[in-house]
Amino acid sequence: MAYPDIKWELALEFLVNVSNYKAANMPAGNIFAKHQEKAREAGYKRWLMNKQGEIPIEIGVGLSAEWDDSRHKRSYTQLFEKKVEDIAKVIAKSTDLLQNAVNFAQSAAKGTGIPVAFDVRYPKFAIVAKWYLERPENSTIVDVKGEVGFGFSPLIGAEVIIDIIGSAIALASNVGTGNPAAAKIIERFRDRIEELGGKVTLTATFYGELSVMVEDLKISALYGIGSPGKLVIGGKFGVTIKFEMKLEIGKIKGKKSKPIAKFKAEAKLDGYFGGDVVIDSDEKGVFIEPVVKFSGIMFIAEIEGEVAWWKSSFKVEEKIISDETKKLDKKYIN
């Protein structure tokens, strides 16, 4: 009665917080240590799940409300992690299958000499519910109406990370077709940066995922479930190219002396192709509608320098190629 036009929204995410991260042929130093630590953390979680019957589950909950013609809003969120023992054995079996696939890919990559890492993204279940009050025409009864959407986003996903500098060294070192002298120059450049207490990385991350969602499921306290909602099966494949360089001049690796100058540069290009298959209905019947998507190419760069008391930085964030979405013709199922 105090807020008759209030609208509520509840969002819930349920994520299996386990990874199958493995890497091969990573160069010694900071890069090897970084990938080794990620693989160690992933392995420890899988060990807990398989040996102790515990699986890390991450649950995110969000509750928000708006009223007074959307002029007032409130939101509350909560994020916590808990162990769910009842489903540990079932999940563990599926993770073993995925781990075997990752292990096979890792062993195959070792023979190439190319620095590469693999990971598998586990299912994330999400549900979003919205509800509000509405008085039907010619009625004194107030109805509670709303919409519900739920599904897996992603149902499954994977990524492959390639060290571009390391790959250049591996290819240049090839006795038959490469240039060993060029390989030594590239490798010495990276080693020298690390000796000065810095690091330089250039990676390409190829990723893909598949999702299944039910959207726009109508609900009513007076009339029950309305339209059945539409089923959206979607997928995407993309790549992220990232450059990162950090350098502290005047500080030798392993020493605690204060550097004379600091320099940091980061740049990233990201984009993906994807699409959805929408299964819905209208007055003509049930139809399938393909949707093709291109995210465009986003470029982000940040440079920061510091010498004694002087410090400066700048950041560029620009979409260099626009995104595009195209709906193809509907195909009705007779």
Side-chain angles (χ1 to χ4, degrees), residues 21 29-39 199 201 242 244:
Y21 195 87
N30 290 328
I31 295 174
F32 178 84
K34 175 184 176 181
H35 290 278
Q36 188 73 1
E37 178 61 19
K38 290 182 69 173
K199 69 175 183 177
T201 59
K242 185 176 181 180
E244 182 180 13

Side-chain angles (χ1 to χ4, degrees), residues 178-199:
N179 186 335
K184 289 183 178 180
I185 293 174
I186 300 172
E187 191 170 18
R188 180 55 184 161
F189 167 74
R190 174 177 265 178
D191 291 344
R192 183 55 179 163
I193 292 294
E194 290 207 357
E195 288 173 3
L196 295 173
K199 69 175 183 177

Side-chain angles (χ1 to χ4, degrees), residues 109-319:
K110 286 182 178 179
T112 67
I114 295 176
V116 60
F118 309 90
D119 201 3
V120 174
R121 301 176 183 177
Y122 282 85
K124 181 174 71 174
F125 178 76
I127 181 170
V128 178
K130 304 176 183 179
W131 67 96
Y132 53 91
L133 301 178
E134 184 178 277
R135 189 188 303 275
E137 292 184 10
N138 303 320
S139 175
T140 59
I141 302 175
V142 176
D143 189 13
V144 179
K145 301 184 68 175
E147 298 177 2
V148 177
F150 60 91
F152 291 92
S153 181
L155 178 63
I156 192 170
E159 64 181 22
V160 177
I161 306 168
I162 297 178
D163 185 322
I164 297 178
I165 295 178
S167 298
I169 295 173
L171 294 174
S173 299
N174 189 296
V175 178
T177 58
N179 186 335
K184 289 183 178 180
I185 293 174
I186 300 172
E187 191 170 18
R188 180 55 184 161
F189 167 74
R190 174 177 265 178
D191 291 344
R192 183 55 179 163
I193 292 294
E194 290 207 357
E195 288 173 3
L196 295 173
K199 69 175 183 177
V200 56
T201 59
L202 179 60
T203 59
T205 301
F206 299 89
Y207 58 89
E209 63 180 39
L210 176 68
S211 61
V212 179
M213 297 290 295
V214 174
E215 301 178 356
D216 302 329
L217 178 64
K218 307 295 184 183
I219 58 173
S220 168
L222 294 180
Y223 306 107
I225 298 177
S227 60
K230 61 182 179 181
L231 175 65
V232 180
I233 303 173
K236 65 181 180 180
F237 177 81
V239 60
T240 300
I241 298 177
K242 185 176 181 180
F243 170 79
E244 182 180 13
M245 182 175 181
K246 294 182 180 180
L247 182 62
E248 295 182 348
I249 301 174
K251 182 179 180 180
I252 306 300
K253 182 179 179 180
K255 302 295 183 180
K256 295 183 178 181
S257 58
K258 186 176 180 180
I260 300 173
K262 294 181 181 180
F263 174 79
K264 181 178 75 172
E266 294 182 0
K268 183 172 73 171
L269 283 170
D270 182 55
Y272 68 84
F273 287 96
D276 298 330
V277 176
V278 180
I279 303 175
D280 203 353
S281 62
D282 56 19
E283 64 279 0
K284 295 182 180 180
V286 178
F287 64 83
I288 297 176
E289 182 180 35
V291 180
V292 181
K293 299 178 181 179
F294 172 53
S295 69
I297 301 296
M298 177 64 74
F299 174 72
I300 301 174
E302 185 172 6
I303 297 178
E304 182 177 297
E306 181 178 353
V307 180
W309 53 268
W310 177 85
K311 184 176 181 180
S312 180
S313 65
F314 74 91
K315 183 176 182 180
V316 176
E317 187 169 344
E318 182 178 356
K319 203 155 202 175

Side-chain angles (χ1 to χ4, degrees), residues 4-71:
D5 66 339
I6 193 168
K7 295 181 180 179
W8 290 94
E9 178 174 314
L10 174 66
L12 172 68
E13 287 186 345
F14 182 91
L15 172 67
V16 181
N17 191 16
V18 183
S19 173
N20 283 279
Y21 195 87
K22 284 291 185 72
N25 306 321
M26 292 299 172
N30 290 328
I31 295 174
F32 178 84
K34 175 184 176 181
H35 290 278
Q36 188 73 1
E37 178 61 19
K38 290 182 69 173
R40 186 198 66 79
E41 291 177 356
Y44 178 69
K45 286 187 176 182
R46 291 195 308 273
W47 178 83
L48 285 178
M49 183 174 60
N50 290 319
K51 302 299 181 182
Q52 300 183 359
E54 297 180 352
I55 178 171
I57 300 293
E58 188 173 278
I59 300 177
V61 179
L63 179 64
S64 62
E66 62 178 54
W67 64 95
D68 198 9
D69 292 329
S70 301
R71 287 194 293 268

